[in-house]
Amino acid sequence: MTTVRGHAEELELFEVLWQQEDATSMLPSIEVDARTGHRPQRVRLRYMGREYLLGEGKESLTLGRAEDNDIVVKGNLISRIHARVEMARNKVLLVDQSTNGSFVTTQDGKEAFVRRDSVALQARG
């Protein structure tokens, strides 16, 4: 609910995203050895036909609409520096740094919303 100029009462607003080709997709391939708890050596992210690797000296990458991000994502809801994916503490985390927040969808369709916080990425999503 929010107030809108010209209306005395609060109105409920909805957003409908209908251009699927503009949606952000991240497909990390993460394998953690459950027996030893060793963190992954490398993480592979795919976006818009390109592949990005974490590991071997590169422990994080940035996503956002600014051209100096590792992954540039265009859109009016995307912050200049929207989020960071990092390998830390035996986990791969999405760290949201945006105004609007980020949705993370797992391979089985579960969705998590994160704003100014972090969420662990699991397997594929």
Side-chain angles (χ1 to χ4, degrees), residues 24-37:
T24 301
S25 298
M26 293 185 0
L27 300 172
S29 296
I30 305 169
E31 291 195 25
V32 176
D33 188 333
R35 294 166 289 155
T36 64

Side-chain angles (χ1 to χ4, degrees), residues 4 27-28 37 44 48 50-51 59 63 69-70 77 88-89 95 106 111-112 117 120-121 123:
V4 177
L27 300 172
R44 181 178 33 173
M48 300 293 284
R50 292 196 56 201
E51 189 169 281
E59 299 299 309
L63 299 92
N69 283 290
D70 297 302
L77 296 176
R89 302 180 307 275
V95 181
T106 63
E111 190 172 77
D117 202 355
L121 300 178

Side-chain angles (χ1 to χ4, degrees), residues 2-22:
T2 189
T3 56
V4 177
R5 190 179 329 160
H7 292 271
E9 70 282 349
E10 287 189 335
L11 297 176
E12 192 169 1
L13 297 178
F14 296 91
E15 176 183 17
V16 177
L17 300 175
W18 58 274
Q19 294 177 317
Q20 185 64 30
E21 66 275 2
D22 288 340

Side-chain angles (χ1 to χ4, degrees), residues 26-91:
M26 293 185 0
L27 300 172
S29 296
I30 305 169
E31 291 195 25
V32 176
D33 188 333
R35 294 166 289 155
T36 64
H38 287 108
R39 72 182 204 150
Q41 297 300 308
R42 281 183 273 159
V43 175
R44 181 178 33 173
L45 298 158
R46 291 189 199 127
Y47 175 69
M48 300 293 284
R50 292 196 56 201
E51 189 169 281
Y52 305 85
L53 291 176
L54 281 179
E56 298 177 359
K58 184 160 182 71
E59 299 299 309
S60 70
L61 56 80
T62 59
L63 299 92
R65 73 172 191 264
E67 294 297 325
D68 56 347
N69 283 290
D70 297 302
I71 300 175
V72 177
V73 180
K74 296 298 182 185
N76 61 350
L77 296 176
I78 308 300
S79 296
R80 287 187 311 273
I81 300 174
H82 195 88
R84 187 175 70 248
V85 176
E86 64 182 34
M87 297 172 65
R89 302 180 307 275
N90 297 334
K91 295 179 184 176

